[in-house]
Amino acid sequence: KKPTAKSAAVKQALSTLLRFKLVYHDNLTYDGYRLTWTGYDVLALQTLSRRGTISRLGRKLGEGKESDVYEALAGAADDAADDHGGSS
């Protein structure tokens, strides 16, 4: 069976996700992929960014046993200041 453009695009996307260690490929019991913890973090940051909740990610503020804390610029607050004559 000849690969289609869609299957080639999926292979390329999975290859990129694997390279950045956002997914893990498991083929011991079945052939499949799963999100890594870093993949979940990237997915959450992308969602927050698309919703306008955050507009920028800043420096790391702290590191704990199971988390890292970063400063972030609130997207909605930024827009509100611009819309109401806030200084830039």
Side-chain angles (χ1 to χ4, degrees):
K1 187 175 174 181
K2 186 177 176 186
T4 65
K6 189 182 278 190
S7 67
V10 169
K11 262 188 172 176
Q12 178 63 37
L14 284 171
S15 175
T16 300
L17 292 170
L18 282 165
R19 186 173 59 242
F20 288 107
K21 298 183 180 175
L22 301 178
V23 296
Y24 174 78
H25 182 223
D26 182 12
N27 60 356
L28 295 177
T29 55
Y30 63 93
D31 190 24
Y33 296 84
R34 68 170 175 83
L35 274 174
T36 62
W37 291 114
T38 303
Y40 279 112
D41 291 344
V42 170
L43 183 61
L45 287 169
Q46 182 183 33
T47 301
L48 290 169
S49 176
R50 282 188 177 167
R51 288 181 183 171
T53 305
I54 62 170
S55 61
R56 292 194 178 99
L57 194 60
R59 64 184 176 89
K60 185 187 283 190
L61 298 175
E63 193 170 321
K65 181 179 173 186
E66 296 181 2
S67 65
D68 295 332
V69 179
Y70 290 85
E71 66 182 354
L73 187 60
D78 238 10
D79 295 339
D82 290 342
D83 291 343
H84 295 96
S87 60
S88 297

